[in-house]
Amino acid sequence: MLDRVLAFGDAWFPNHDRGGVLERAAELRARADRPVGLMVMGVPAEAAVLEAYAAAGFQRAVHWLPSAPRGPVERALDRYEAAVAEFNGE
């Protein structure tokens, strides 16, 4: 997969649940002869996870919301908002 990013892309947008994303991002950056943007999807609402991705050079983290009525979606947004606030030291 990293070979395809290096051959054809200028960014990588993996799924958090696949595991080993941070290690593969480091490998990708080490092998690239140019800047490669990093984004990740499916990130849990945890400040420590957001911090790990930021420290590894990821510019964007995407959180999945449930396909549900307003209440569960709002609770999920509240949890993510709290994680982002903690990550930002608020």
Side-chain angles (χ1 to χ4, degrees):
M1 175 186 339
L2 297 182
D3 291 336
R4 287 184 293 166
V5 174
L6 292 168
F8 304 109
D10 59 3
W12 186 45
F13 195 17
N15 191 328
H16 166 78
D17 285 340
R18 300 240 175 195
V21 173
L22 296 174
E23 294 80 10
R24 289 185 294 159
E27 178 186 347
L28 178 64
R29 288 238 165 122
R31 292 176 51 196
D33 60 356
R34 64 191 185 285
V36 176
L38 298 171
M39 300 160 280
V40 62
M41 70 178 94
V43 176
E46 298 174 22
V49 175
L50 293 170
E51 176 60 37
Y53 280 115
F58 282 73
Q59 295 94 8
R60 186 166 289 153
V62 177
H63 178 69
W64 293 112
L65 291 174
S67 179
R70 182 176 175 173
V73 170
E74 286 179 346
R75 285 189 294 278
L77 283 171
D78 287 344
R79 285 189 300 274
Y80 202 67
E81 180 181 24
V84 170
E86 182 181 340
F87 165 73
N88 286 321
E90 298 173 12

